[in-house]
Amino acid sequence: MNTNFSYDVHAGDIEQGGSASAMLKAELRKMGVCEEEARRAGVTVFEGEMNLLVYATNGGTVNAKVTPEAIDITIEDTGPGIDDIDLAMTPGYSTAPDWALNLGFGAGMGLVNMQRNADLFEMHSHKAEGTVIRCRVNRRENAKTS
Ligand SMILES: Nc1ncnc2c1ncn2[C@@H]1O[C@H](COP(=O)(O)OP(=O)(O)OP(=O)(O)O)[C@@H](O)[C@H]1O
Ligand SMILES: [Mg+2]
């Protein structure tokens, strides 16, 4: 059975931070997805939703599709977009605003963390259009539910 999740993340709404990740992990556990895969998907979504909250002018969406093979996560926004993806992916690089730094964000590790926790990671961004990140967490054979 395939299941789809969709969450809207509102720009700057720090109270909402982490809720997409928490909801997805709860759903994955209910579906019988193993702890390690739920954790990796949860970390990926957490970093993605935090970036929407901090950087995306209009907020954005987190979508996840769970199949017996994988958890496919898409995180997208409509701007401002990223000029230099290689630079954004560099560990320690951050343009986090003061309010986010004061809350302990802005280590410049979020995108790297997403890439490390996902089996597949791709990011597309254009200044005028926004950013789309696609991540896949593969499910192990013995952990599949119907
Ligand atoms: N959706 C986005 N739209 C525009 N810029 C982004 C977006 N996501 C990330 N960035 C840019 O990429 C940089 C690196 O992001 P990354 O998540 O790796 O680190 P961070 O958010 O700065 O710090 P951390 O995630 O460790 O708290 C950000 O500082 C920002 O400049
Ligand atoms: Mg981040």
Side-chain angles (χ1 to χ4, degrees), residues 72-142:
D72 282 304
I73 296 159
T74 306
I75 292 157
E76 56 193 319
D77 65 63
T78 55
I82 297 171
D83 251 343
D84 185 337
I85 288 181
D86 288 341
L87 181 61
M89 291 295 304
T90 305
Y93 174 81
S94 180
T95 62
D98 282 347
W99 68 264
L101 290 172
N102 289 337
L103 292 170
F105 299 103
M109 289 305 291
L111 293 170
V112 176
N113 216 3
M114 291 171 83
Q115 190 173 37
R116 283 182 187 158
N117 278 280
D119 293 295
L120 288 176
F121 173 93
E122 60 174 52
M123 182 162 159
H124 304 277
S125 192
H126 296 283
K127 266 291 175 201
E129 291 159 33
T131 301
V132 182
I133 297 175
R134 292 195 183 87
C135 298
R136 167 172 285 191
V137 173
N138 289 331
R139 299 185 63 189
R140 286 200 308 266
E141 204 60 38
N142 63 3

Side-chain angles (χ1 to χ4, degrees), residues 29-50:
R29 286 184 185 123
K30 256 196 268 174
M31 292 176 69
V33 172
C34 80
E35 199 57 34
E36 196 238 339
E37 289 153 10
R39 181 188 59 75
R40 288 168 61 210
V43 168
T44 302
V45 167
F46 178 79
E47 296 293 358
E49 70 176 308
M50 288 311 301

